[in-house]
Amino acid sequence: MSVTEYWTAEQWQQAERAYLAERPGLRVQLALKRLLDIILASLGMVGLLPVFALVAIAICLDSPGPIFFIQERLGKLGQPFPIYKFRTMVDGAVHLGTGLNTFEGDPRVTRIGKCLREYHLDELPQLWNVLRGEMSLVGPRPLLVACLSTYNNWEKRRLLVSPGITGWEAVKGGLLNPFDSRIALDVWYVDRWTLWLDLTILARTIQVVLNKEGVYGSNGSERSRGI
């Protein structure tokens, strides 16, 4: 499939209307999904406050720089938003070494950052993104904005729902899959989404975290198409 042209806001809205029309009752299910997001994210933010505090202290003691790493990512309907993560690399790492690309053993990753990445704890601040309505607990991973220019029309379907902290591709190998396969898994999720599928993914995510799966690709790197 060839790369397609830039979509206007109206084209994104048309694509969303067509998606909602494909499955009767989808609007109600998505409303329930949002309600579940708010409840679980709120409970998570409150219950994990001690963890947030300990991680924040560890990051400050480990290396100079901010506690959080903030980066613009692609959201629903191609709209960019600032994603929040615990900082796992030295301050200003995007301007050093391999830039936006990271790899296993990257010297820019701090000592505490290595642990946070292995257990995906650096993703916890995204609960705030969920409460703000920019993300969902489950959905396609929010990729770099520059990736949008490489999507064809079929691949853009992954942006018809809110991005997630975890997702179908994350529990199916994550970065161990080639980039194109990860996109295909995301589109599969969008086309077959149900609340039960979300609950299944959340349950399977626990095993992924405990086994430290999918942190880097099979070649030991983390790279996106065209980036």
Side-chain angles (χ1 to χ4, degrees):
M1 291 180 155
S2 59
V3 175
T4 55
E5 77 284 354
Y6 172 80
W7 277 9
T8 64
E10 178 57 29
Q11 285 175 300
W12 279 112
Q13 291 166 8
Q14 288 177 354
E16 182 183 33
R17 288 194 292 269
Y19 173 61
L20 293 173
E22 291 172 6
R23 296 165 59 186
L26 188 58
R27 289 181 185 273
V28 175
Q29 293 183 63
L30 288 172
L32 292 174
K33 175 182 173 73
R34 177 60 186 153
L35 179 60
L36 184 65
D37 280 342
I38 293 173
I39 293 173
L40 293 183
S42 298
L43 293 174
M45 288 285 287
V46 174
L48 292 171
L49 276 179
V51 176
F52 274 71
L54 289 174
V55 171
I57 293 171
I59 291 173
C60 290
L61 294 176
D62 192 38
S63 66
I67 295 172
F68 298 106
F69 173 71
I70 305 173
Q71 187 180 58
E72 196 172 65
R73 295 289 181 94
L74 274 176
K76 184 179 178 181
L77 304 185
Q79 293 300 305
F81 71 95
I83 196 172
Y84 295 90
K85 305 176 78 171
F86 281 124
R87 180 174 60 85
T88 60
M89 306 179 79
V90 296
D91 192 23
V94 293
H95 305 298
L96 304 171
T98 52
L100 293 172
N101 298 315
T102 62
F103 55 92
E104 192 170 6
D106 192 330
R108 298 172 300 168
V109 177
T110 63
R111 289 172 298 177
I112 185 64
K114 182 176 183 296
C115 178
L116 294 176
R117 281 173 172 252
E118 285 182 346
Y119 291 100
H120 302 275
L121 295 176
D122 57 319
E123 313 281 356
L124 288 180
Q126 289 163 41
L127 290 172
W128 178 239
N129 287 116
V130 174
L131 289 177
R132 284 162 54 106
E134 298 158 335
M135 293 181 64
S136 174
L137 292 175
V138 182
R141 285 298 297 149
L143 301 179
L144 296 169
V145 174
C147 289
L148 180 57
S149 63
T150 72
Y151 290 176
N152 56 47
N153 285 350
W154 179 77
E155 292 171 330
K156 286 175 183 175
R157 286 183 66 82
R158 75 183 299 276
L159 299 174
L160 293 180
V161 300
S162 297
I165 298 178
T166 186
W168 182 239
E169 64 88 15
V171 300
K172 298 293 285 186
L175 292 178
L176 292 174
N177 298 301
F179 185 77
D180 288 352
S181 297
R182 289 158 54 199
I183 296 296
L185 287 168
D186 285 336
V187 174
W188 185 96
Y189 167 83
V190 171
D191 288 342
R192 294 163 178 81
W193 173 81
T194 63
L195 280 174
W196 178 249
L197 179 58
D198 273 8
L199 294 175
T200 301
I201 291 171
L202 286 172
R204 294 179 63 173
T205 297
I206 297 173
Q207 181 179 356
V208 169
V209 171
L210 293 178
N211 291 340
K212 300 186 285 188
E213 298 176 8
V215 180
Y216 295 102
S218 56
N219 61 353
S221 67
E222 178 182 310
R223 188 180 181 88
S224 298
R225 178 203 298 159
I227 305 302

